[in-house]
Amino acid sequence: RLCPLSGSFSSDVDKLVVRRLLSDIKFVSHVNSLVSAKLLDEKGFAHGKNRVVTKEGDEYDGLWRHGKRWGEGRQVFSNGDIYEGTFENDVPSGEGTYKFFNGNKYEGAWVNGVQHGSGEFVWASGKSYRGDWVEGKQHGNGVLSDVGVGGTLTKYEGMFVDGTESGKGTLWTKPAANMEADWEEAYCGQWLLGSFQGLGRFRTGEDKPGEAYFYIGQFKNGIRDGKGEFLDKEGNVLYDGEYVGGKWRTNDKKESS
């Protein structure tokens, strides 16, 4: 069993869906038609500390090296996006913050113009991802927080691969109306492409007398499939057998003691 039996129970846990991340966030360079630059090198390229405005209406204020943004600077795009941080070879490299015109924001490490290293992306809706990035995608260890079904706060902690929850991870929930409440474990186990896949432990929302409170076993594409067992809140096994498509075989069902 992957996790100890603990926590209380919520009636909407079965309906929770962890949405996949929007990971196609790229930096686009628009500085190509220089309008003004005071400090130039011997070939006439911007060099040193300059404020430059392009014909497209973009603006860069910061350090240049032979016509390329290189060092600390602030880029304001004509659409309202703003990047503040370190440049190298004309693209963000190092630490920097990108604020999107729609309210989204990324703050963290960059390499060759994309998120790479440790960083946090916060959506205007309040959803956030904090953790590892590789070549512009969430990859490695991270935490994804959001508001789920029925105003329930959700938090996934674990592994990401190419922008989705894949590997070992835990899903936590708590009511948005009670921010002081403790996080409660909803699922702990293996994930693949944002869904439960493999061995895991799931806390159900069933609260009727005699019904189960936990499922421990195999999942496939987010539903119970394979060997597994249901337990009540005291840990008594109510069912131990095979599941197919989220349903168990009735001839395997056990009576609780």
Side-chain angles (χ1 to χ4, degrees):
R1 296 175 185 175
L2 298 178
C3 305
L5 298 176
S6 62
S8 58
F9 315 103
S10 172
S11 61
D12 59 1
V13 174
D14 280 319
K15 301 177 183 178
L16 290 177
V17 176
V18 178
R19 286 171 284 181
R20 294 184 180 181
L21 295 169
L22 302 176
S23 58
D24 295 330
I25 306 158
K26 302 292 183 181
F27 184 90
V28 181
S29 174
H30 294 298
V31 178
N32 45 29
S33 301
L34 300 182
V35 172
S36 63
K38 295 181 179 180
L39 298 178
L40 307 176
D41 64 10
E42 66 279 2
K43 294 183 179 180
F45 293 109
H47 190 76
K49 181 73 165 60
N50 273 297
R51 176 180 176 271
V52 173
V53 180
T54 72
K55 293 179 180 179
E56 292 79 11
D58 301 324
E59 177 184 322
Y60 173 76
D61 189 359
L63 294 174
W64 294 78
R65 182 183 295 181
H66 303 300
K68 295 182 178 181
R69 293 162 293 180
W70 208 304
E72 291 294 321
R74 184 175 189 267
Q75 174 80 50
V76 179
F77 295 97
S78 57
N79 71 344
D81 288 359
I82 299 173
Y83 172 81
E84 292 186 79
T86 305
F87 288 81
E88 184 175 326
N89 199 29
D90 217 33
V91 295
S93 286
E95 292 295 314
T97 299
Y98 195 113
K99 298 179 181 178
F100 296 80
F101 74 93
N102 61 6
N104 296 342
K105 183 177 75 171
Y106 170 80
E107 183 173 4
W110 299 77
V111 174
N112 295 326
V114 297
Q115 302 97 319
H116 191 93
S118 179
E120 180 177 23
F121 193 96
V122 179
W123 283 259
S125 64
K127 180 170 67 172
S128 67
Y129 169 82
R130 175 172 46 84
D132 298 329
W133 297 74
V134 174
E135 296 183 350
K137 293 184 179 181
Q138 300 87 340
H139 191 96
N141 282 299
V143 178
L144 174 65
S145 301
D146 197 5
V147 178
V149 178
T152 298
L153 299 178
T154 65
K155 180 173 66 173
Y156 169 85
E157 294 182 298
M159 294 299 299
F160 288 79
V161 176
D162 290 334
T164 62
E165 304 92 325
S166 292
K168 176 70 180 297
T170 302
L171 178 66
W172 305 85
T173 67
K174 73 175 178 178
N178 184 6
M179 297 298 294
E180 301 300 320
D182 293 331
W183 287 99
E184 298 175 350
E185 177 198 298
Y187 173 82
C188 180
Q190 296 296 319
W191 297 68
L192 182 65
L193 299 177
S195 295
F196 309 155
Q197 183 84 7
L199 181 61
R201 173 186 180 278
F202 181 73
R203 188 189 77 231
T204 77
E206 298 166 350
D207 55 3
K208 297 178 181 179
E211 293 289 347
Y213 287 87
F214 299 97
Y215 169 77
I216 301 174
Q218 295 294 320
F219 286 84
K220 184 177 181 180
N221 298 325
I223 60 176
R224 298 181 286 265
D225 197 293
K227 178 70 175 176
E229 62 182 14
F230 256 119
L231 301 89
D232 63 20
K233 58 185 177 181
E234 281 78 34
N236 299 312
V237 177
L238 303 179
Y239 166 74
D240 184 2
E242 293 287 332
Y243 286 76
V244 178
K247 298 181 179 180
W248 64 79
R249 298 176 183 175
T250 55
N251 60 327
D252 290 333
K253 189 174 181 180
K254 289 187 178 181
E255 296 295 333
S256 60
S257 57

